[in-house]
Every structure is written in C-alpha cells, then in structure tokens.
Amino acid sequence: MEALRHTINAFATPTTIYLSSVALFAIAMWKMEIVVKPLVMIPVVIVTVLGTIFALTDDHFFKLVTLPDNIPITIMLATVGYFTWYALKKGVENDKRLSENRPLIEQEQDRRVMTWPNLVYIEFICLIAITVFLIFWSIGFQAPLEEPANPTVTPNPAKAPWYFLGLQEMLVYFDPWLAGVVFPGLIVVGLMALPYIDPNPKGNGYYSFKDRRLVIGYYLFGFLIQWVLLIVLGTFMRGPGWSFFGPFQEWDPHKVEALTNINLSELLWVKLLNIGLPKNILLREGVGIVVVLGYLVALPPLLAKTIFKKLYQELSFIRFQIMCFLFLAMLSLPIKMILRWTINLKYIVAIPEFFFNI
Amino acid sequence: MDIKEELKPPQDSVVVEDSYHMVTRRGFVSWLTVGWGAFAGATAIMGAAFQRFLFPNVLREPPQEFKIGFPNDFLEGVVDLRMQDKYGIWVVRGFDPATSQTGIYVLSVICTHLGCTPTWLESEAKFKCPCHGSGFYKTGINFEGPAPRPLERFRVVLAEDGQVQVDKGKKFQYEKGEWTQPEAFLKV
C-alpha cells in the first residue's frame, strides 16, 4: 500500500498528469465507438471507484476530499463524466444508425412535448428540489469563515473559489492582464460566437459524433482538459506556495522545487549569444514579438493549407480567421505550460517596464 | 415550410372592433421610448449621486512616511518582518548583491504578479507567494513562478534624530534601474 502511494506521488507531476490526460483524450476521440461501450466503461468505473476507496484510506487525501469546499468538485466530476459519456454514446449510436440507413434515435422515439406544462413543471420541481438541497447543504456544512481580512496576511495556499481554479492555474503561466482579463473574456465571447462561426447543420437536434468529430473534440478539449482538469489539479494538488503535491503527499510549505525561470530574451541574449541583454526594449524582445506575431498571424494561412483544409473550404474567410484565433488562443496555454516544464521559460515577450508580458 | 404555415393566424381572426382600447404599433413604441428614457434618466441620476461616495469626508490612511527605529535595531543579514502588519514593508539589513552595497533596504510586501503577500521562508532564504508560487530572493529579485519583475523598494533615509525613515510614497523599481539611486538604499 505504502509503496503504491509513493509510486503515485512520484508519478503525479503537472507534466505527467496533463500529458497523460491529453493522450487518453486523443485515444477516446480516435476510437470513440469502442470507448463508449459498456464493456469498456464498466471496468473504468469499477477501477475509478476502487481507486477512490483506496485513496480515501490515506489521511491527507481523506481530509482534502471531505473539505466542504471540495465536495462539489467530486460531485462535478461524477456528473461531468456521466453526461459526457451519455451524449457521446448516443452520438455513436446515431452514427451507426446513419451508416446503416436506419432512422435516428430521435426520429424513432419522438419524445417531443409541449413547453407548457411539461418543461415548465419539471423546471419548477427542479427549482424546489435544488432549494431544499441547498438548505440542507448549508445546515450540514459550515461556511469556512476565517478572521477579518488583512491585506498583509495572505492564507497559504490562497485559493480561488473552486470553479475559478482553472483560471488561477492559468495565472501561473501568464501575466494577469492575459490570464485574468483577455483569456476569460475570450472564453465567454468565443463560446457566444460558436453558433455564428460554425454554420454546419449536421448534429442539429440530434446526437452525433462522427460528423462533428473535430468540433466536438475542439470543445471537449477546452472543457475537459483546460477547465475541469485544471480545477482538479488546482484543488487537490496545489498546496502552500502553490507548489505541486502528489495526492498522498503532506502539504509542506517548505517544499523546494527547482523553478528558476527565465524569459526568452534572457535565453537568447545571455545563454545562447552570451553578450547580455540589449538596452533597447524592442531589440531585446524582438524575437519574442516575432514569435508571437508569427503564431497569431502567419499560422492561420498555414493551417488553412494543411490540417484545416476541409474546414477552410466549409467556412468563409472571416469565420475561419476567428475560429483559428480562438483555437490558437486556447492552445497557447498548453504550449506555455510545456515550455515552462521543459525549459523553465517564463515569458516569450517580457516587457515589465510597461506591464506587457506574454 | 409547414411549420411557417402553422404559425400564421387564421386570416378572419384579425378583427378589431374596440378601437379605443387598441394599442397601435406607433403608440406602443412611443410609450416604450418614454419608459426606457425614464429608466435611463433615473439610473443616470442615481449614478451621479453615487459619485459622492468617491469623495469621503474622512480618509483614514496610514501615514506614508514614518520612522521605524534606529539602524542598530535591525540585525545584520536578517529579514525583519516586524513592520509587515503595520506598514506593509520588509526591512533587510546586510550586503545587497543587487546593488553591491552594505546597509538597509526596504521591500514592499506586495507580490508583483497579482498583489498577494508572499511568505518569508527563512530556511529556503526566499519569499514565496501563496497565490501562484512566485519566488523572490532576499534582495527582492524574482526568480521563480510567474512574477514578471522584482519586488519594489521604498525610499529609505536617516532622519535627523538618527532613526531610519521610510517613505512609501516614493518607490524604486529594479527593472527601471532605480535601485542604484541614492535614497533607494541606506548605507550604514
């Protein structure tokens, strides 16, 4: 048991967890018709439940999971997992029916009903049920109130509300104006823009997967990997000093990690060329600025000619540019993370003189 | 196609007899404009009234310039945390590798990433921010985590009575080359 815990702790680094999650995600996207089968999912659920029971025997993990703040995350994980599986299973089923020229699930069993009274009644009952649930929740779990706020004392670790922990994790890799303002704005605006960017009528009103594999993958990557996974990492694995801890590792505020980070300009001028940073800011950060502009401006036409060729023909020019921009903005987080983990890169463009770091 | 047909009301049902109670389109839009105009006006007046709160009668601000004791009150090589709660500063006495001088310098307790208060870890000889893991050396230079620039230093001089006087109104930033200015550092 102890040996297993040590192995899991040793395996649990941001790099391994993130990359293995991405790998699992890619496999699921690739072989979805196999992954959603009960024959695959039932063992996965059994292993997850047994693993959780094993993990709960650990004092530290037990305390962490049963914290009133953290219980919603466990509930969220179960519901997100179930509903994602449910939708994808239906989608795979419909794909099969389409390929066999049979009617869709939605056509076969027409379950359409009137909004009034059917939907409104259900919504009203849900409203009452949730209110009752929240009342009992607030009686059962005390709010984690602390002493009056003091600007010179920051609790260690200082954590955002659980649903914002993904944003807090993003702040480890980006400047506040990017991770706190631009990216959250892009997430909201981008989600609102989705129906206007994507004019493809396939999948409207029925579950589907194969026809919309790219878009479904695009969305689920953003939601499951970039949002839910980061919440889990932020909740269970970030401890004092925002250091990374394994699930069974005691939170030691004195944990030392080799985290000496450098900017791209320092890497280039000091480490490679060995001549010191130039005085001129534009010269100093020139390479970083070119890299960022190239990423945002030169990459979309390249993508249009290669992996997004089909998409480029389906979408109009402006739609494709917006889609590409949102896509590249989303990918910038994993890129930044991997650069931080591998070469300790802090900022690609670093102009602290004007609060401008990317 | 057929859905649109269904949505159309039967032609003969659009019969209006009571013209007095009928609201015309024009009349409806006029009243709507009046209503929204009144709402916008009321909101504007209330917003203007709230401006008064920007200028409070009494402003309880701690003094920006204060004396923190004699130079010998601070031990060589120690990060002094006594002034953290009261003034929001750390006082360090000793050799400063960033400017190659020996004396006293005063660091701001505000992390340059997002403004949390880092913790001084004596055994690791670093300030570590609990919010996103930024780390700073004793000098205030940032070396780990996302903090883009070093901690700020405050003006520190010797008062006439021989005490160390700190002025938080004047800050010195390393990235602007200000740490080498005379009052950013107190030679002792």
Side-chain angles (χ1 to χ4, degrees), chain A residues 133-154:
Chain A
F133 172 74
L134 284 181
I135 287 171
F136 279 104
W137 181 280
S138 56
I139 293 169
F141 299 106
Q142 298 303 313
L145 295 178
E146 295 169 24
E147 66 242 53
N150 178 351
T152 57
V153 176
T154 307

Side-chain angles (χ1 to χ4, degrees), chain A residues 150-156 158 168 171-172 174-176 241-242 253-254 256-257 259-261 346-347 352-353 355 357, chain B residues 84-85 88 109 113-114 116-117 119 121 123-124 126 128-133 142-149 175-176:
Chain A
N150 178 351
T152 57
V153 176
T154 307
N156 194 7
Q168 191 172 359
L171 276 161
V172 176
F174 286 102
D175 226 23
W242 210 246
H254 294 278
V256 177
E257 288 175 287
L259 277 176
T260 307
N261 300 323
K346 184 154 67 177
Y347 291 117
E353 291 89 341
F355 302 101
N357 309 288
Chain B
Q84 176 176 329
D85 271 353
V109 300
H113 178 235
L114 215 55
C116 298
T117 307
T119 321
L121 300 174
S123 49
E124 288 81 26
K126 69 179 180 188
K128 183 79 172 165
C129 184
C131 289
H132 305 93
N142 55 324
F143 71 101
E144 64 180 3
R149 56 198 187 87
E175 70 277 9
K176 292 184 179 168

Side-chain angles (χ1 to χ4, degrees), chain A residues 104-117:
Chain A
L104 299 168
I105 306 170
E106 288 81 359
Q107 286 169 334
E108 209 170 74
Q109 17 171 301
D110 191 351
R111 289 160 77 184
R112 280 182 296 178
V113 288
M114 287 297 180
T115 306
W116 174 265

Side-chain angles (χ1 to χ4, degrees), chain B:
Chain B
M1 197 63 173
D2 49 342
I3 294 173
K4 274 188 180 166
E5 291 295 325
E6 276 171 29
L7 287 176
K8 270 188 190 164
Q11 288 299 315
D12 55 351
S13 74
V14 197
V15 179
V16 181
E17 286 171 1
D18 184 2
S19 64
Y20 178 76
H21 284 106
M22 200 184 72
V23 179
T24 58
R25 179 183 294 253
R26 183 179 293 269
F28 173 73
V29 173
S30 312
W31 275 112
L32 201 68
T33 315
V34 172
W36 275 111
F39 178 71
T43 312
I45 291 168
M46 211 157 96
F50 271 115
Q51 300 300 309
R52 179 66 183 80
F53 287 110
L54 295 176
F55 307 96
N57 292 335
V58 183
L59 204 57
R60 283 180 222 283
E61 263 188 345
Q64 292 296 294
E65 210 169 350
F66 43 83
K67 291 172 183 170
I68 55 171
F70 294 95
N72 286 339
D73 294 345
F74 300 97
L75 294 173
E76 187 81 20
V78 170
V79 175
D80 200 307
L81 308 173
R82 286 175 296 175
M83 255 62 77
Q84 176 176 329
D85 271 353
K86 197 171 176 197
Y87 296 120
I89 54 168
W90 291 310
V91 185
V92 189
R93 182 172 177 180
F95 178 70
D96 173 29
T99 53
S100 313
Q101 299 176 96
T102 307
I104 292 174
Y105 54 91
V106 176
L107 290 169
S108 158
V109 300
I110 296 170
C111 175
T112 52
H113 178 235
L114 215 55
C116 298
T117 307
T119 321
W120 170 249
L121 300 174
E122 183 67 47
S123 49
E124 288 81 26
K126 69 179 180 188
F127 299 101
K128 183 79 172 165
C129 184
C131 289
H132 305 93
S134 293
F136 304 88
Y137 293 125
K138 199 192 223 171
T139 54
I141 302 273
N142 55 324
F143 71 101
E144 64 180 3
R149 56 198 187 87
L151 295 173
E152 284 165 2
R153 289 188 181 183
F154 291 126
R155 176 171 176 262
V156 53
V157 288
L158 218 50
E160 282 168 8
D161 58 358
Q163 289 201 59
V164 179
Q165 184 163 333
V166 176
D167 179 7
K168 284 181 77 180
K170 172 86 183 124
K171 62 184 185 186
F172 298 92
Q173 288 167 251
Y174 176 79
E175 70 277 9
K176 292 184 179 168
E178 292 173 343
W179 280 9
T180 47
Q181 288 176 20
E183 292 183 332
F185 197 89
L186 181 63
K187 280 185 196 167
V188 183

Side-chain angles (χ1 to χ4, degrees), chain A residues 17-331:
Chain A
I17 292 177
Y18 191 86
L19 292 183
S20 52
S21 305
V22 171
L24 281 177
F25 180 79
I27 291 170
M29 280 295 131
W30 178 41
K31 289 282 177 207
M32 189 57 82
E33 58 282 3
I34 297 171
V35 171
V36 294
K37 275 186 183 157
L39 208 65
V40 179
M41 284 319 289
I42 289 171
V44 167
V45 171
I46 290 172
V47 168
T48 312
V49 169
L50 288 180
T52 314
I53 291 170
F54 162 72
L56 284 174
T57 58
D58 185 81
D59 277 350
H60 169 73
F61 189 81
F62 184 80
K63 262 187 247 156
L64 207 59
V65 172
T66 50
L67 220 64
D69 284 21
N70 294 349
I71 296 172
I73 300 168
T74 318
I75 299 173
M76 176 197 70
L77 284 180
T79 47
V80 161
Y82 172 72
F83 285 118
T84 310
W85 169 78
Y86 183 82
L88 289 170
K89 186 183 174 296
K90 293 255 172 165
V92 168
E93 166 75 20
N94 267 347
D95 288 342
K96 204 172 147 206
R97 283 164 178 250
L98 275 177
S99 66
E100 290 168 2
N101 260 334
R102 284 194 291 142
L104 299 168
I105 306 170
E106 288 81 359
Q107 286 169 334
E108 209 170 74
Q109 17 171 301
D110 191 351
R111 289 160 77 184
R112 280 182 296 178
V113 288
M114 287 297 180
T115 306
W116 174 265
N118 305 53
L119 175 72
V120 179
Y121 267 42
I122 291 173
E123 282 177 348
F124 184 61
I125 291 165
C126 285
L127 185 121
I128 294 171
I130 294 284
T131 310
V132 171
F133 172 74
L134 284 181
I135 287 171
F136 279 104
W137 181 280
S138 56
I139 293 169
F141 299 106
Q142 298 303 313
L145 295 178
E146 295 169 24
E147 66 242 53
N150 178 351
T152 57
V153 176
T154 307
N156 194 7
K159 288 195 179 183
W162 64 267
Y163 43 85
F164 276 152
L165 280 172
L167 289 181
Q168 191 172 359
E169 188 67 21
M170 204 146 78
L171 276 161
V172 176
Y173 305 95
F174 286 102
D175 226 23
W177 68 272
L178 262 178
V181 180
V182 174
F183 284 151
L186 276 182
I187 293 171
V188 173
V189 174
L191 284 173
M192 289 194 316
L194 269 188
Y196 304 96
I197 297 172
D198 177 22
N200 192 336
K202 277 181 181 166
N204 269 5
Y206 63 93
Y207 288 107
S208 69
F209 178 69
K210 217 153 114 200
D211 287 338
R212 310 306 313 274
R213 193 197 298 267
L214 194 64
V215 244
I216 291 174
Y218 184 3
Y219 171 75
L220 283 184
F221 181 79
F223 181 55
L224 294 181
I225 304 282
Q226 306 269 70
W227 192 256
V228 175
L229 178 69
L230 292 189
I231 286 176
V232 172
L233 292 189
T235 311
F236 297 121
M237 308 214 154
R238 289 294 190 177
W242 210 246
S243 301
F244 202 88
F245 293 89
F248 311 121
Q249 214 170 347
E250 216 41 64
W251 281 7
D252 173 17
H254 294 278
K255 179 176 180 176
V256 177
E257 288 175 287
L259 277 176
T260 307
N261 300 323
I262 53 169
N263 298 321
L264 184 65
S265 48
E266 289 161 348
L267 194 71
L268 177 77
W269 295 103
V270 180
K271 283 217 162 171
L272 276 178
L273 299 175
N274 217 352
I275 49 175
L277 290 175
K279 279 267 176 281
N280 188 314
I281 294 174
L282 278 181
L283 181 65
R284 188 184 75 197
E285 304 299 335
V287 178
I289 292 168
V290 168
V291 167
V292 171
L293 283 181
Y295 180 71
L296 287 178
V297 178
L299 216 49
L302 205 69
L303 289 172
K305 288 219 169 58
T306 53
I307 53 170
F308 287 157
K309 205 167 178 181
K310 207 170 134 223
L311 210 61
Y312 182 62
Q313 284 156 358
E314 284 171 10
L315 305 174
S316 67
F317 179 75
I318 293 174
R319 279 201 178 111
F320 182 79
Q321 291 300 325
I322 295 173
M323 195 281 295
C324 257
F325 175 71
L326 292 172
F327 178 70
L328 292 173
M330 183 171 91
L331 273 195

